[in-house]
Amino acid sequence: MSFRKNLKRARGHIVFLVALVAGLLLVLWLETLGDPPQMTEGRPDTMRPFEEVTPLPLAIRGEISEQDLENARIAWTYFQNNTIEETGLANSVHNYPSTTMWETGSYVVAILSAERLGLIDAEEAETRLTSLLESLAQLRLFQDTLPNKAYHTRTLELVDYSNKPVELGLGWSALDVARIVATFGLIERRHPELAPQVEAVLNTWALDRMVQDGELIGTNVVAGEVRENQEGRVGYEQYASKAMMLFGFDVYRGYEVVDNLMVKRVEGQPIPVDTRLHRGTTPAFVVSEPYLFDGLEFGFDARSHRFATAIYRAQEARYEETGIFTAVTESHLSGEPYFAYATVWGGGSPWAVMTFQGDRIDSRRTVATKAAFGWDALFGTDYTSAMVETLQGIADPEKGWPEGIYEETGETNTSTTANTNAVVLASLAFKATGPLMREAVE
């Protein structure tokens, strides 16, 4: 029989085999077609350096020492001294009757932490939170939309940053509002009986105005004109986005980092830096604070855990290289310009200390109390323990914990604030019980 006849007889089998092979090839192609970019050679290069970062284990102890409790009592003293009885709000700085939504959120964290530590009982915590929520429900909002950037703690008037009343207001800060929204989630978790009061406040705020196309949007008043602007840079933006997600807002672009991320090496560590400019003019700042809040309040996610580890390790490495304790973040200052961002990377270089306007003032770098306590709670290394021990000498039992120690002179940065004392309390509560959003570790 000829080859041609045999081929003709076998054509059905051949068609079947060809179809089978083609089908297998199609399946393989379809399987690879759907691979996400991060699983292929197309993975964004900006995230690759963090694969080398092994997250430090969290140092939840399940207990705290007598010294820890004394440190917590000192921190709580700040709020005993600075809570305004008539309104239930707390001053952002010692004896200065002004606050923002950020500092008001810090006061909530302080109350819940003090309760976990046994410094106050559940009844006092509920009373303080109820008074605060009642005042928040009464606030005159910026253009009837969202809380103004600053309020007088006694009169609840809209004020500017010098605490003078302003009729129009300053606008709203999306990051500040998200900060207090985060603490509303903590209230509902710990005190579900207060959920109706929380929801009553939220129902008066037009939160949908500050979430647009997955991003956080704030407003500024410039020459009497109200202007909207995207808010948040890597670190703060992801913390704030988590907060809004607690209440069902879609902040997918705010939570993502890849589109706005570059990596700068500091002391051998990959540091996550935002590619967008601060105020449209200055390279963005990287500080400890948003990562401390994320870990102490929510508990890290896998990405923020790696970022935080790298940021912490860079500070530890600077100490190992120079012998200078390094715990950098944003801080109030005891003298002009009264506020600075002490950065791991900022303004285009490592270890820069920057004003909000973008001026460099490295002489004001502070070994920040809240950064030392926060990193010690989260990671509990010999280095963090040594920093906290060094700071013990600046505690003021009658006033609270000051901002820290000026690196250049060794003098105390005597400014005493709600944020620092709240972080001290949250840190010590974390050591004993873990993140505030979770059930207490027994």
Side-chain angles (χ1 to χ4, degrees):
M1 187 179 291
S2 68
F3 173 75
R4 180 175 294 181
K5 288 183 178 180
N6 286 334
L7 186 62
K8 187 176 181 180
R9 287 186 175 185
R11 65 181 182 274
H13 298 288
I14 293 171
V15 170
F16 172 76
L17 290 172
V18 170
L20 180 62
V21 171
L24 289 171
L25 290 172
L26 178 61
V27 169
L28 290 172
W29 180 75
L30 288 172
E31 286 181 346
T32 57
L33 182 66
D35 282 352
Q38 64 267 32
M39 298 302 292
T40 71
E41 290 303 314
R43 182 169 185 166
D45 288 341
T46 50
M47 289 304 295
R48 288 183 186 274
F50 298 102
E51 295 175 0
E52 71 191 53
V53 177
T54 301
L56 286 167
L58 297 181
I60 303 170
R61 285 75 160 180
E63 60 183 10
I64 57 173
S65 66
E66 282 300 318
Q67 183 62 62
D68 289 330
L69 280 174
E70 179 58 25
N71 291 340
R73 291 187 191 100
I74 292 170
W76 183 243
T77 297
Y78 175 89
F79 296 98
Q80 291 175 312
N81 293 339
N82 283 279
T83 303
I84 307 302
E85 184 176 355
E86 297 89 339
T87 64
L89 299 182
N91 300 327
S92 60
V93 178
H94 181 65
N95 281 344
Y96 187 69
S98 181
T99 192
T100 69
M101 290 301 100
W102 190 281
E103 278 92 357
T104 302
S106 290
Y107 176 39
V108 172
V109 166
I111 293 170
L112 297 175
S113 299
E115 182 185 6
R116 278 204 174 191
L117 291 165
L119 300 179
I120 60 175
D121 58 22
E123 182 179 359
E124 180 176 349
E126 184 175 339
T127 297
R128 285 177 175 270
L129 292 169
T130 298
S131 179
L132 182 150
L133 290 168
E134 287 174 350
S135 285
L136 292 178
Q138 298 170 26
L139 293 180
R140 182 166 74 86
L141 304 177
F142 178 79
Q143 294 189 323
D144 297 321
T145 302
L146 288 163
N148 187 51
K149 290 182 179 179
Y151 286 93
H152 197 292
T153 52
R154 292 188 183 279
T155 66
L156 302 184
E157 292 177 286
L158 281 69
V159 295
D160 60 20
Y161 289 129
S162 64
N163 212 32
K164 296 178 181 178
V166 283
E167 180 58 29
L168 175 59
L170 301 176
W172 73 74
S173 166
L175 293 181
D176 284 13
V177 173
R179 163 71 168 152
I180 197 167
V181 167
T183 66
F184 287 164
L186 299 176
I187 292 173
E188 291 191 344
R189 178 71 166 156
R190 179 67 177 179
H191 286 276
E193 70 278 4
L194 295 179
Q197 289 95 313
V198 168
E199 298 300 327
V201 172
L202 291 175
N203 287 339
T204 68
W205 295 0
L207 290 172
D208 58 312
R209 285 286 303 279
M210 60 175 260
V211 178
Q212 297 179 22
D213 193 23
E215 290 188 314
L216 295 166
I217 303 298
T219 57
N220 289 301
V221 178
V222 181
E225 179 185 350
V226 179
R227 300 179 182 177
E228 292 189 349
N229 55 279
Q230 180 274 332
E231 269 194 36
R233 297 295 180 261
V234 171
Y236 284 106
E237 190 174 15
Q238 286 67 52
Y239 167 78
S241 295
K242 282 186 179 180
M244 299 307 294
M245 289 175 184
L246 287 175
F247 288 87
F249 288 89
D250 181 0
V251 201
Y252 74 100
R253 291 177 66 188
Y255 181 71
E256 187 50 80
V257 297
V258 173
D259 290 343
N260 302 301
L261 181 68
M262 61 181 171
V263 176
K264 297 293 183 180
R265 289 278 172 177
V266 179
E267 309 298 335
Q269 295 296 320
I271 301 302
V273 181
D274 204 300
T275 58
R276 296 165 293 185
L277 298 176
H278 168 71
R279 303 187 74 218
T281 58
T282 308
F285 308 150
V286 178
V287 297
S288 299
E289 193 146 326
Y291 299 98
L292 301 179
F293 291 148
D294 187 21
L296 297 173
E297 296 171 19
F298 295 142
F300 290 127
D301 57 61
R303 184 181 64 199
S304 65
H305 199 168
R306 288 177 186 271
F307 284 7
T309 296
I311 288 167
Y312 162 75
R313 281 177 167 161
Q315 295 174 71
E316 184 182 50
R318 181 174 183 263
Y319 167 76
E320 291 172 349
E321 180 181 336
T322 65
I324 301 171
F325 280 126
T326 305
V328 292
T329 195
E330 62 176 74
S331 296
H332 285 262
L333 304 175
S334 53
E336 292 183 350
Y338 299 110
F339 194 87
Y341 298 86
T343 72
V344 176
W345 178 276
S349 61
W351 309 120
V353 182
M354 313 291 296
T355 67
F356 181 77
Q357 291 75 22
D359 299 321
R360 189 155 177 173
I361 50 169
D362 287 6
S363 64
R364 299 288 83 188
R365 184 179 295 109
T366 297
V367 183
T369 302
K370 58 186 169 184
F373 271 89
W375 290 129
D376 186 55
L378 291 166
F379 297 142
T381 66
D382 291 342
Y383 172 63
T384 59
S385 178
M387 278 198 297
V388 170
E389 182 63 30
T390 297
L391 289 166
Q392 291 290 160
I394 70 171
D396 186 341
E398 303 300 319
K399 187 177 177 183
W401 286 92
E403 291 292 88
I405 298 172
Y406 289 121
E407 177 183 293
E408 187 173 275
T409 65
E411 297 174 351
T412 300
N413 177 352
T414 56
S415 183
T416 309
T417 68
N419 278 338
T420 284
N421 284 280
V423 172
V424 171
L425 285 162
S427 299
L428 297 171
F430 182 95
K431 287 177 71 173
T433 64
L436 288 173
M437 186 56 76
R438 302 178 188 171
E439 291 294 330
V441 174
E442 299 296 341

